[in-house]
Coordinates of all heavy atoms in Angstrom, one line a residue:
P122 N 2.2 65.0 233.4 CA 1.1 65.9 233.6 C 0.6 66.6 232.3 O 1.5 66.8 231.4 CB 1.6 66.9 234.6 CG 2.7 66.2 235.3 CD 3.3 65.3 234.3
P123 N -0.6 66.9 232.2 CA -1.1 67.5 230.9 C -0.3 68.7 230.6 O 0.1 69.5 231.4 CB -2.6 67.9 231.3 CG -3.0 66.9 232.4 CD -1.7 66.7 233.1
G124 N 0.0 68.9 229.3 CA 0.8 70.0 228.9 C 2.3 69.8 228.9 O 3.0 70.7 228.5
R125 N 2.7 68.6 229.4 CA 4.2 68.3 229.4 C 4.4 67.1 228.6 O 4.1 66.0 229.0 CB 4.7 68.1 230.8 CG 5.3 69.3 231.5 CD 4.2 70.3 231.9 NE 3.5 69.8 233.1 CZ 2.4 70.3 233.6 NH1 1.8 71.2 232.9 NH2 1.8 69.8 234.6
A126 N 5.0 67.3 227.4 CA 5.2 66.1 226.5 C 6.5 65.4 227.0 O 7.5 66.1 227.3 CB 5.4 66.6 225.1
P127 N 6.5 64.1 227.2 CA 7.7 63.4 227.7 C 8.8 63.4 226.7 O 8.6 63.4 225.5 CB 7.2 62.0 227.9 CG 6.0 61.8 227.0 CD 5.3 63.2 227.0
L128 N 10.0 63.5 227.2 CA 11.2 63.4 226.3 C 12.0 62.2 226.8 O 11.8 61.6 227.8 CB 12.0 64.7 226.6 CG 11.4 66.0 226.0 CD1 12.4 67.1 226.3 CD2 11.3 65.9 224.5
P129 N 13.1 61.9 226.0 CA 14.0 60.9 226.5 C 14.6 61.3 227.8 O 14.6 62.5 228.1 CB 15.1 60.9 225.4 CG 14.4 61.4 224.2 CD 13.4 62.4 224.7
P130 N 15.1 60.3 228.6 CA 15.5 60.6 230.0 C 16.8 61.4 230.0 O 17.9 60.9 230.1 CB 15.7 59.2 230.6 CG 16.0 58.3 229.4 CD 15.1 58.9 228.3
T131 N 16.7 62.7 229.9 CA 17.8 63.6 229.9 C 17.7 64.7 230.9 O 18.3 65.8 230.8 CB 18.1 64.2 228.5 OG1 16.9 64.9 228.1 CG2 18.4 63.2 227.5
A132 N 16.8 64.5 231.9 CA 16.5 65.6 232.9 C 17.8 65.9 233.7 O 18.5 65.0 234.0 CB 15.4 65.2 233.8
R133 N 18.0 67.2 233.9 CA 19.1 67.5 234.7 C 18.9 67.3 236.2 O 17.7 67.3 236.6 CB 19.5 69.0 234.5 CG 20.0 69.3 233.0 CD 20.1 70.7 232.8 NE 18.7 71.3 232.8 CZ 18.5 72.6 232.6 NH1 19.5 73.4 232.4 NH2 17.3 73.1 232.5
G134 N 19.9 67.3 237.0 CA 19.8 67.1 238.4 C 20.8 66.1 238.9 O 21.0 65.1 238.3
S135 N 21.3 66.3 240.1 CA 22.3 65.5 240.7 C 21.7 64.7 241.9 O 22.4 63.8 242.4 CB 23.5 66.3 241.1 OG 23.1 67.3 242.0
E136 N 20.6 65.0 242.4 CA 20.0 64.3 243.5 C 19.2 63.2 243.0 O 18.4 63.2 242.1 CB 19.1 65.3 244.3 CG 19.9 66.5 244.9 CD 19.0 67.4 245.7 OE1 17.8 67.0 246.0 OE2 19.4 68.5 246.0
H137 N 19.3 62.0 243.7 CA 18.6 60.8 243.3 C 17.9 60.2 244.5 O 18.3 60.4 245.6 CB 19.5 59.8 242.7 CG 20.2 60.3 241.4 ND1 21.2 61.2 241.4 CD2 20.0 59.9 240.1 CE1 21.6 61.4 240.2 NE2 20.9 60.7 239.4
K138 N 16.9 59.4 244.3 CA 16.3 58.6 245.3 C 15.8 57.3 244.6 O 15.6 57.2 243.4 CB 15.1 59.3 246.0 CG 13.9 59.5 245.1 CD 12.8 60.1 246.0 CE 11.5 60.3 245.1 NZ 10.4 60.9 245.9
A139 N 15.7 56.2 245.4 CA 15.3 54.9 244.8 C 13.8 54.8 244.7 O 13.1 55.2 245.7 CB 15.9 53.8 245.7
G140 N 13.3 54.3 243.6 CA 11.9 54.1 243.5 C 11.6 52.7 244.0 O 12.4 52.0 244.5
S141 N 10.3 52.3 244.0 CA 9.9 51.1 244.5 C 10.4 49.9 243.8 O 10.5 48.8 244.4 CB 8.3 51.0 244.5 OG 7.8 51.0 243.2
K142 N 10.9 50.1 242.6 CA 11.5 49.0 241.8 C 13.0 49.0 241.8 O 13.7 48.4 241.1 CB 11.0 49.0 240.4 CG 9.5 48.6 240.2 CD 9.1 48.5 238.8 CE 7.7 48.1 238.6 NZ 7.3 47.9 237.2
G143 N 13.5 49.9 242.7 CA 15.0 50.0 242.9 C 15.7 50.8 241.9 O 16.9 50.9 241.8
K144 N 14.9 51.5 241.0 CA 15.5 52.4 240.0 C 16.0 53.7 240.6 O 15.3 54.2 241.5 CB 14.6 52.7 238.8 CG 14.2 51.4 238.0 CD 13.3 51.8 236.9 CE 13.0 50.5 236.1 NZ 12.1 50.9 234.9
R145 N 17.0 54.3 240.1 CA 17.5 55.6 240.5 C 16.7 56.6 239.8 O 16.7 56.7 238.5 CB 19.0 55.7 240.3 CG 19.8 54.6 241.0 CD 19.8 54.8 242.5 NE 20.7 55.9 242.9 CZ 20.8 56.4 244.1 NH1 20.1 55.8 245.1 NH2 21.6 57.4 244.4
V146 N 16.0 57.5 240.4 CA 15.2 58.5 239.8 C 15.8 59.9 240.0 O 16.0 60.3 241.2 CB 13.8 58.5 240.3 CG1 12.9 59.5 239.6 CG2 13.2 57.0 240.2
R147 N 16.0 60.7 239.0 CA 16.4 62.1 239.1 C 15.3 62.9 239.5 O 14.2 63.0 238.8 CB 17.0 62.5 237.8 CG 18.4 62.0 237.6 CD 18.9 62.3 236.2 NE 18.3 61.4 235.2 CZ 18.7 61.2 234.0 NH1 19.7 61.9 233.5 NH2 18.0 60.4 233.2
V148 N 15.4 63.7 240.6 CA 14.3 64.5 241.1 C 14.6 65.9 241.2 O 13.8 66.8 241.5 CB 13.8 63.9 242.5 CG1 13.2 62.5 242.3 CG2 14.9 64.0 243.5
A149 N 15.9 66.3 241.1 CA 16.3 67.7 241.3 C 15.7 68.6 240.3 O 15.6 69.8 240.5 CB 17.9 67.8 241.3
A150 N 15.3 68.1 239.1 CA 14.8 69.0 238.0 C 13.3 69.2 238.1 O 12.7 69.9 237.4 CB 15.1 68.4 236.7
L151 N 12.7 68.5 239.1 CA 11.2 68.7 239.3 C 10.9 70.2 239.6 O 11.6 70.8 240.5 CB 10.7 67.9 240.4 CG 10.6 66.4 240.1 CD1 10.2 65.6 241.3 CD2 9.6 66.1 238.9
L152 N 10.0 70.8 238.9 CA 9.6 72.2 239.1 C 8.6 72.3 240.3 O 7.6 71.5 240.3 CB 9.0 72.8 237.9 CG 10.0 73.0 236.7 CD1 9.2 73.4 235.5 CD2 11.0 74.0 237.0
P153 N 8.7 73.2 241.1 CA 7.7 73.5 242.1 C 6.4 73.9 241.4 O 6.5 74.5 240.3 CB 8.2 74.6 243.0 CG 9.7 74.6 242.7 CD 9.9 74.1 241.3
P154 N 5.2 73.7 242.0 CA 4.0 74.0 241.3 C 3.9 75.5 240.9 O 3.4 75.7 239.8 CB 2.9 73.7 242.4 CG 3.6 72.6 243.2 CD 5.0 73.0 243.3
E155 N 4.4 76.4 241.7 CA 4.3 77.8 241.3 C 5.2 78.1 240.1 O 4.8 78.9 239.3 CB 4.7 78.7 242.5 CG 6.1 78.5 243.0 CD 6.3 77.4 244.1 OE1 5.3 76.6 244.2 OE2 7.3 77.4 244.7
R156 N 6.3 77.4 240.0 CA 7.2 77.7 238.8 C 6.6 77.1 237.6 O 6.6 77.7 236.5 CB 8.6 77.0 239.1 CG 9.4 77.8 240.1 CD 9.8 79.1 239.6 NE 10.7 79.1 238.4 CZ 10.7 80.0 237.4 NH1 9.9 81.1 237.6 NH2 11.5 79.9 236.4
R157 N 5.9 75.9 237.7 CA 5.3 75.3 236.6 C 4.1 76.3 236.1 O 3.9 76.5 234.9 CB 4.7 74.0 236.9 CG 5.7 72.9 237.3 CD 5.4 71.5 236.9 NE 4.0 71.2 236.8 CZ 3.3 70.7 237.8 NH1 3.8 70.5 239.0 NH2 2.0 70.4 237.6
S158 N 3.4 76.8 237.1 CA 2.3 77.8 236.7 C 2.9 79.0 236.0 O 2.3 79.5 235.0 CB 1.6 78.2 238.0 OG 0.9 77.1 238.6
E159 N 4.0 79.5 236.4 CA 4.6 80.7 235.8 C 5.0 80.3 234.4 O 4.8 81.1 233.4 CB 5.9 81.1 236.6 CG 5.5 81.7 238.0 CD 6.8 82.0 238.8 OE1 7.9 81.8 238.2 OE2 6.7 82.4 239.9
H160 N 5.6 79.2 234.2 CA 6.0 78.8 232.8 C 4.8 78.6 231.9 O 4.8 79.0 230.7 CB 6.9 77.5 232.8 CG 8.2 77.7 233.4 ND1 9.1 78.6 232.9 CD2 8.9 77.0 234.3 CE1 10.3 78.6 233.6 NE2 10.2 77.6 234.4
L161 N 3.8 78.0 232.4 CA 2.6 77.8 231.7 C 1.9 79.2 231.3 O 1.4 79.3 230.2 CB 1.6 77.0 232.4 CG 1.9 75.5 232.5 CD1 0.9 74.8 233.5 CD2 1.7 74.8 231.2
R162 N 2.0 80.1 232.2 CA 1.5 81.4 231.9 C 2.3 82.1 230.8 O 1.7 82.8 229.9 CB 1.5 82.3 233.2 CG 1.2 83.8 233.0 CD 0.0 84.1 232.2 NE -1.2 83.4 232.8 CZ -2.4 83.3 232.1 NH1 -2.5 83.8 230.8 NH2 -3.4 82.8 232.7
V163 N 3.6 81.9 230.8 CA 4.4 82.5 229.7 C 4.0 81.9 228.4 O 3.8 82.7 227.4 CB 5.9 82.2 230.0 CG1 6.7 82.6 228.7 CG2 6.4 83.0 231.2
I164 N 3.8 80.6 228.3 CA 3.4 80.0 227.1 C 2.0 80.4 226.7 O 1.7 80.8 225.5 CB 3.3 78.4 227.2 CG1 4.7 77.9 227.7 CG2 2.9 77.8 225.9 CD1 5.8 78.1 226.6
A165 N 1.1 80.5 227.6 CA -0.3 81.0 227.3 C -0.3 82.4 226.8 O -1.0 82.7 225.8 CB -1.2 80.9 228.6
D166 N 0.5 83.3 227.4 CA 0.6 84.7 226.9 C 1.1 84.7 225.5 O 0.7 85.5 224.7 CB 1.4 85.5 227.9 CG 0.7 85.7 229.2 OD1 -0.5 85.5 229.3 OD2 1.4 86.1 230.2
Y167 N 2.2 83.9 225.2 CA 2.8 84.0 223.9 C 1.8 83.6 222.8 O 1.8 84.2 221.7 CB 4.0 83.1 223.9 CG 4.8 83.2 222.6 CD1 5.6 84.3 222.3 CD2 4.6 82.3 221.6 CE1 6.3 84.4 221.1 CE2 5.2 82.4 220.3 CZ 6.0 83.4 220.1 OH 6.7 83.6 218.9
F168 N 1.0 82.6 223.1 CA 0.0 82.1 222.1 C -1.4 82.8 222.3 O -2.3 82.3 221.7 CB -0.1 80.6 222.1 CG 1.1 79.9 221.6 CD1 2.0 79.3 222.5 CD2 1.4 79.9 220.3 CE1 3.1 78.6 222.0 CE2 2.5 79.2 219.8 CZ 3.4 78.6 220.7
S169 N -1.4 83.8 223.1 CA -2.7 84.5 223.3 C -3.8 83.6 223.8 O -5.0 83.7 223.3 CB -3.1 85.3 222.0 OG -2.1 86.2 221.6
L170 N -3.5 82.7 224.7 CA -4.5 81.9 225.3 C -5.1 82.5 226.5 O -4.4 83.2 227.3 CB -3.9 80.5 225.7 CG -3.2 79.8 224.5 CD1 -2.6 78.5 225.1 CD2 -4.2 79.5 223.4
S171 N -6.3 82.3 226.8 CA -7.0 83.0 227.9 C -6.7 82.4 229.2 O -6.8 83.0 230.3 CB -8.5 83.0 227.7 OG -9.0 81.7 227.6
A172 N -6.3 81.1 229.3 CA -6.0 80.4 230.5 C -4.8 79.4 230.3 O -4.7 78.9 229.2 CB -7.2 79.7 231.1
T173 N -4.1 79.2 231.4 CA -3.0 78.2 231.3 C -3.5 76.8 231.0 O -2.8 75.9 230.5 CB -2.2 78.2 232.6 OG1 -3.0 77.9 233.7 CG2 -1.5 79.5 232.8
S174 N -4.8 76.5 231.4 CA -5.3 75.2 231.1 C -5.5 74.9 229.7 O -5.7 73.7 229.3 CB -6.7 75.1 231.8 OG -7.6 76.1 231.4
E175 N -5.4 75.9 228.8 CA -5.5 75.7 227.4 C -4.2 75.3 226.7 O -4.2 75.0 225.5 CB -6.1 77.0 226.7 CG -7.4 77.4 227.2 CD -7.9 78.7 226.5 OE1 -7.3 79.1 225.5 OE2 -8.9 79.3 227.0
V176 N -3.1 75.4 227.5 CA -1.8 75.0 226.9 C -1.8 73.5 226.7 O -2.1 72.7 227.6 CB -0.7 75.4 227.9 CG1 0.7 74.9 227.4 CG2 -0.7 76.9 228.1
T177 N -1.4 73.1 225.5 CA -1.3 71.7 225.1 C 0.1 71.3 224.8 O 1.0 72.2 224.7 CB -2.2 71.5 223.9 OG1 -1.7 72.2 222.8 CG2 -3.7 71.9 224.2
D178 N 0.3 70.0 224.5 CA 1.6 69.5 224.1 C 2.0 70.2 222.8 O 3.2 70.5 222.6 CB 1.5 68.0 223.8 CG 1.5 67.3 225.1 OD1 1.7 67.9 226.2 OD2 1.3 66.0 225.1
D179 N 1.1 70.5 221.9 CA 1.4 71.2 220.7 C 1.9 72.6 220.9 O 2.9 73.0 220.2 CB 0.1 71.2 219.8 CG 0.4 71.9 218.4 OD1 1.2 71.3 217.7 OD2 -0.1 73.0 218.2
H180 N 1.3 73.3 221.8 CA 1.9 74.6 222.1 C 3.3 74.6 222.6 O 4.2 75.4 222.2 CB 1.0 75.3 223.2 CG -0.4 75.7 222.7 ND1 -1.5 75.2 223.2 CD2 -0.8 76.6 221.7 CE1 -2.6 75.7 222.6 NE2 -2.1 76.6 221.6
I181 N 3.5 73.6 223.5 CA 4.9 73.5 224.1 C 5.9 73.1 223.0 O 7.0 73.6 222.9 CB 4.9 72.5 225.2 CG1 4.1 73.0 226.4 CG2 6.3 72.1 225.7 CD1 3.9 72.1 227.6
A182 N 5.5 72.1 222.1 CA 6.4 71.7 221.0 C 6.7 72.9 220.1 O 7.8 73.1 219.7 CB 5.7 70.6 220.3
R183 N 5.7 73.7 219.8 CA 5.9 74.8 218.9 C 6.8 75.9 219.6 O 7.6 76.5 218.9 CB 4.5 75.4 218.5 CG 3.8 74.6 217.5 CD 2.3 74.9 217.5 NE 2.1 76.4 217.2 CZ 0.9 77.0 217.4 NH1 -0.2 76.3 217.8 NH2 0.8 78.2 217.1
A184 N 6.6 76.1 220.9 CA 7.4 77.0 221.6 C 8.9 76.5 221.6 O 9.8 77.3 221.5 CB 6.9 77.3 223.0
C185 N 9.1 75.2 221.8 CA 10.5 74.7 221.8 C 11.1 74.9 220.5 O 12.4 75.0 220.4 CB 10.4 73.2 222.2 SG 10.2 72.9 223.9
A186 N 10.4 74.9 219.4 CA 11.0 75.1 218.1 C 11.2 76.5 217.6 O 11.6 76.8 216.5 CB 10.1 74.4 217.1
L187 N 10.8 77.5 218.5 CA 10.9 78.9 218.1 C 12.4 79.2 217.9 O 13.3 78.7 218.5 CB 10.3 79.8 219.2 CG 8.8 79.7 219.3 CD1 8.4 80.5 220.6 CD2 8.1 80.3 218.1
E188 N 12.7 80.2 217.0 CA 14.0 80.7 216.8 C 13.9 82.2 217.1 O 13.6 83.1 216.3 CB 14.4 80.6 215.3 CG 14.6 79.1 214.9 CD 15.8 78.5 215.6 OE1 16.6 79.2 216.2 OE2 15.8 77.2 215.6
P189 N 14.3 82.6 218.4 CA 14.1 84.0 218.8 C 15.0 85.0 218.1 O 14.8 86.2 218.1 CB 14.5 83.9 220.3 CG 14.4 82.4 220.7 CD 14.7 81.7 219.4
T190 N 16.2 84.5 217.6 CA 17.1 85.4 216.9 C 17.0 85.3 215.4 O 17.0 84.3 214.8 CB 18.6 85.1 217.3 OG1 18.7 85.1 218.8 CG2 19.6 86.0 216.7
S191 N 17.0 86.5 214.8 CA 16.8 86.5 213.3 C 17.6 87.7 212.8 O 18.1 88.6 213.5 CB 15.4 86.7 212.9 OG 14.8 87.8 213.5
I192 N 17.8 87.7 211.5 CA 18.6 88.8 210.8 C 17.7 90.1 210.7 O 16.5 90.0 210.4 CB 19.0 88.4 209.4 CG1 19.9 87.2 209.4 CG2 19.6 89.6 208.7 CD1 21.3 87.5 210.0
N193 N 18.2 91.2 211.1 CA 17.5 92.4 211.1 C 17.3 92.9 209.6 O 18.3 93.1 209.0 CB 18.2 93.5 211.9 CG 17.5 94.8 212.0 OD1 16.5 95.0 211.4 ND2 18.0 95.7 212.8
P194 N 16.1 93.0 209.1 CA 15.9 93.4 207.7 C 16.4 94.9 207.4 O 16.7 95.2 206.3 CB 14.4 93.3 207.5 CG 13.8 93.4 208.9 CD 14.8 92.8 209.8
K195 N 16.6 95.7 208.5 CA 17.1 97.0 208.3 C 18.6 97.1 208.4 O 19.2 98.2 208.1 CB 16.5 98.0 209.4 CG 15.0 98.1 209.3 CD 14.5 99.0 210.4 CE 13.0 99.2 210.4 NZ 12.5 100.1 211.5

Side-chain angles (χ1 to χ4, degrees):
R125 263 77 73 198
L128 289 177
T131 56
R133 294 171 292 181
S135 57
E136 299 179 13
H137 298 72
K138 69 177 181 180
S141 62
K142 292 186 177 181
K144 294 183 180 180
R145 303 289 284 176
V146 182
R147 284 169 284 194
V148 297
L151 289 174
L152 291 172
E155 61 274 13
R156 288 294 296 150
R157 295 212 335 267
S158 295
E159 291 174 6
H160 287 309
L161 286 169
R162 171 47 59 192
V163 171
I164 302 295
D166 289 345
Y167 184 79
F168 289 106
S169 300
L170 304 177
S171 59
T173 58
S174 59
E175 297 179 17
V176 175
T177 66
D178 286 350
D179 180 64
H180 290 118
I181 292 176
R183 287 161 57 192
C185 283
L187 291 171
E188 294 295 342
T190 302
S191 59
I192 299 294
N193 185 351
K195 297 181 180 179

